[in-house]
Amino acid sequence: MELWVTERQTPTHAISMRSTATLESMQTPYQHLAVVDTEQWGRMLVLDGMVMTTERDEFVYHEMMVHPALSTHPHPRDVLVVGGGDGGVIREVLRHRSVQRAVLVEIDAEVLRVSQKHLPSIACALDDARVHVICGDGYAHIAEHRDAYDVILVDSTEPVGPAVSLFTKGFYQGIFEALRDDGLFVAQSDNPWFKADLIRTVTRDVAAIFPIMQLYTAHIPTYPSGLWTFTMGSKVHDPRAVDARHIAVQGTKYYAPSLHHAAFALPKFVADLVARDA
Ligand code: SAM
């Protein structure tokens, strides 16, 4: 008998992957968690029925969440990751030699545990000396810190359950205050095919708080629609002003100096989601 794992990306559209084994399936205090081996994409973390990360295409999302931001900030030293319990964003943050402290605030301890057990290629940097893992609510952490970080990366689940608060204007205001004077942040902002309204709201709210707001994209085959967006809010540094010749990050497979600027070139139907005055 064939086993298929299906994510219903909308009520009428789904993605299915033939799988060979289920390694974990549990209800945590926050969400349903599964780890599945798939033939096409390798091992996969699934939360509340949504693909979080797969061994085969994870590098795209994790590199594009991190490197546009840490290539835009001239000297990122203290970095905060909200969510990100699979460890992929932290692994990419540590590629930047200027980073002295990488704090990860993940609400669900089980995500950390199973990622380190079953996804070692993704979670490999969580025990690095520069990394400080906090099991807690990212919203609360942001509210308790001011002028503390150079870069903040919001690697959260979709706005459901504990992540609802991470898509609010109040959270973005808290991020503004937790950042230093020339700080910047990036949040994953879902896909333009099924979540256009979310992108409209996130970009509008970030643009109302940060002097610089930019949307950019990446191609992630196992995410809904395959076209993913990220929203950057910056107090001073503009990602479009970066001199690509000075981008020095090593070991990436998707991000590259030439791609840094290209990622901010939006298809017209995506650009139209960003308010004119943004
Ligand atoms: N790359 C994935 C995506 O784009 O959907 C996200 C992966 S990461 C595993 C998402 C993490 O956010 C989950 O482990 C979840 O537990 C965590 N999370 C959700 N709400 C949170 C909150 N309020 N504070 C901290 N972590 C949270």
Side-chain angles (χ1 to χ4, degrees):
M1 183 182 80
E2 290 189 339
L3 284 172
W4 289 76
V5 177
T6 296
E7 175 184 346
R8 293 186 185 286
Q9 296 179 344
T10 77
T12 59
H13 176 86
I15 181 173
S16 284
M17 295 166 249
R18 198 162 70 184
S19 72
T20 52
T22 298
L23 304 170
E24 302 272 359
S25 177
M26 73 178 80
Q27 185 64 39
T28 80
Y30 299 97
Q31 52 216 337
H32 184 269
L33 180 157
V35 176
V36 182
D37 276 342
T38 71
E39 294 179 60
Q40 185 71 50
W41 300 104
R43 193 158 292 178
M44 180 166 73
L45 172 67
V46 181
L47 295 178
D48 282 343
M50 294 178 280
V51 175
M52 289 291 118
T53 196
T54 82
E55 284 178 322
R56 187 140 175 247
D57 76 344
E58 58 86 7
F59 65 91
V60 180
Y61 174 90
H62 293 131
E63 289 180 20
M64 291 305 286
M65 162 69 65
V66 173
H67 302 309
L70 271 68
S71 300
T72 298
H73 196 290
H75 47 79
R77 193 191 66 196
D78 297 299
V79 177
L80 169 66
V81 177
V82 174
D86 54 51
V89 166
I90 283 285
R91 182 196 65 205
E92 293 305 313
V93 164
L94 297 187
R95 291 191 196 278
H96 295 259
R97 282 195 293 271
S98 66
V99 173
Q100 294 177 13
R101 186 169 67 105
V103 177
L104 176 81
V105 181
E106 162 60 60
I107 202 163
D108 194 337
E110 286 305 303
V111 173
L112 291 160
R113 183 185 67 79
V114 303
S115 296
Q116 289 177 292
K117 179 178 177 185
H118 296 296
L119 296 166
S121 64
I122 302 175
C124 51
L126 286 174
D127 53 8
D128 185 284
R130 292 180 286 173
V131 176
H132 307 273
V133 177
I134 298 170
C135 238
D137 180 357
Y139 191 93
H141 183 86
I142 287 286
E144 293 153 4
H145 290 76
R146 291 179 72 90
D147 303 324
Y149 296 104
D150 299 306
V151 176
I152 296 174
L153 303 169
V154 185
D155 177 18
S156 72
T157 36
E158 313 229 332
V160 294
V164 169
S165 63
L166 307 184
F167 288 83
T168 60
K169 197 169 180 181
F171 180 61
Y172 301 137
Q173 185 61 46
I175 286 179
F176 188 93
E177 291 158 14
L179 286 168
R180 294 192 173 115
D181 289 347
D182 68 340
L184 57 91
F185 94 105
V186 170
Q188 71 94 346
S189 40
D190 221 296
N191 81 90
W193 288 98
F194 308 144
K195 293 287 177 68
D197 285 346
L198 180 69
I199 294 173
R200 281 192 192 94
T201 305
V202 170
T203 54
R204 184 200 62 213
D205 289 352
V206 172
I209 297 167
F210 286 83
I212 297 167
M213 185 286 296
Q214 283 298 317
L215 188 68
Y216 63 96
T217 65
H219 303 278
I220 305 176
T222 58
Y223 277 12
S225 87
L227 178 58
W228 210 250
T229 71
F230 302 84
T231 299
M232 183 186 291
S234 180
K235 291 186 177 183
V236 171
H237 305 296
D238 189 329
R240 297 165 301 174
V242 168
D243 182 339
R245 293 170 299 177
H246 298 158
I247 294 175
V249 60
Q250 301 294 322
T252 57
K253 296 190 290 186
Y254 186 92
Y255 181 77
S258 55
L259 187 97
H260 176 92
H261 290 290
F264 291 89
L266 300 175
K268 190 171 179 319
F269 84 101
V270 179
D272 288 347
L273 299 177
V274 179
R276 288 273 170 265
D277 53 350

